[in-house]
Amino acid sequence: MSCQELQEEEIGVLQSIYDGDENFKQINEKTYQYKIGEDGHFKSFVLEISWGENYPDEMPDINLNAFYNKHVQQEVKETIIEKLKEQADMFIGSAVTYTLFEHAKENHEELMERQKEQIIVNTEESKEEADSVQSLGKKKEKKEQWTKSQKRKYYDRIDCKGERARGWNWVDVIKHLSQTGSADN
């Protein structure tokens, strides 16, 4: 069988195996992704496998540069790729995409054991990266800006301890009733 025929056969097999699996994604006829781990967890990652023209007679391209993997440390990515290439090297000449996805799923904890939950911040650039990693989708709240008169009015209403005077939010019953009217009218 030619490489093209083997690829077409593997496409059918992958589609039948991963039919309905939300973690599996076919990018095009030669590129496939699988999300490993819980969505949003610091130890989850997306594994992308791309086939060359001579696949399966040559090793597929293993990629972890998806945007989803921005939180994964570079040394962890290199370790994962190295271990998956070792696995793929044993099966050159046969379909290996399913094997690599399953190997990554089964050895997920081992592959991600060096991944740290929080990144240690050394520079301003890495501090910004760490902030974005820790938020993982949380939007920064924009603080409300007060004018000078608003600040002055606020500080005029508080005492030396930073608390408002007793009864500041009490309702003046007589004033309230005169504005709403009585029930007899």
Side-chain angles (χ1 to χ4, degrees):
M1 286 172 100
S2 71
C3 291
Q4 184 66 29
E5 291 171 338
L6 289 171
Q7 289 177 9
E8 289 173 7
E9 185 179 311
E10 187 170 1
I11 290 171
V13 170
L14 289 172
Q15 288 174 344
S16 67
I17 291 173
Y18 293 116
D19 184 35
D21 190 344
E22 295 175 3
N23 294 327
F24 178 75
K25 189 175 188 180
Q26 181 176 355
I27 305 300
N28 58 39
E29 286 189 8
K30 297 188 179 225
T31 306
Y32 299 90
Q33 289 183 345
Y34 197 89
K35 186 185 328 173
I36 295 160
E38 293 180 31
D39 195 23
H41 193 269
F42 74 99
K43 286 192 174 186
S44 65
F45 63 96
V46 171
L47 174 61
E48 182 177 282
I49 297 178
S50 302
W51 303 341
E53 289 297 318
N54 296 324
Y55 173 83
D57 292 336
E58 67 181 16
M59 189 179 307
D61 182 39
I62 300 169
N63 184 2
L64 291 174
N65 293 330
F67 181 75
Y68 184 86
N69 296 336
K70 68 182 181 192
H71 66 281
V72 180
Q73 298 166 315
Q74 187 60 36
E75 66 182 40
V76 174
K77 287 180 183 179
E78 291 169 2
T79 304
I80 292 170
I81 290 172
E82 179 183 312
K83 290 186 179 187
L84 291 175
K85 282 187 177 182
E86 289 174 9
Q87 189 73 20
D89 196 35
M90 293 188 294
F91 296 103
I92 288 184
S94 61
V96 73
T97 305
Y98 172 77
T99 306
L100 293 178
F101 286 153
E102 291 303 308
H103 179 76
K105 283 179 10 184
E106 291 170 4
N107 298 301
H108 173 248
E109 286 299 320
E110 179 186 326
L111 293 173
M112 294 297 285
E113 69 186 352
R114 298 182 121 192
Q115 176 68 19
K116 296 177 185 168
E117 186 168 358
Q118 293 181 345
I119 298 173
I120 298 171
V121 179
N122 292 332
T123 63
E124 288 299 311
E125 184 178 276
S126 62
K127 182 178 181 180
E128 291 173 8
E129 274 183 32
D131 290 343
S132 67
V133 168
Q134 288 174 351
S135 66
L136 284 179
K138 294 179 186 174
K139 293 183 179 178
K140 290 185 178 181
E141 291 184 30
K142 193 172 184 180
K143 290 187 177 181
E144 182 181 346
Q145 296 294 320
W146 286 4
T147 63
K148 284 184 180 180
S149 64
Q150 287 173 322
K151 291 177 186 176
R152 192 177 307 116
K153 197 182 261 187
Y154 173 75
Y155 288 112
D156 286 344
R157 292 181 181 166
I158 60 174
D159 61 8
C160 61
K161 296 179 185 174
E163 298 174 357
R164 291 187 173 187
R166 181 174 180 256
W168 69 271
N169 61 348
W170 292 356
V171 176
D172 185 358
V173 176
I174 304 297
K175 183 179 175 185
H176 177 71
L177 288 176
S178 67
Q179 291 175 351
T180 59
S182 65
D184 295 339
N185 292 343

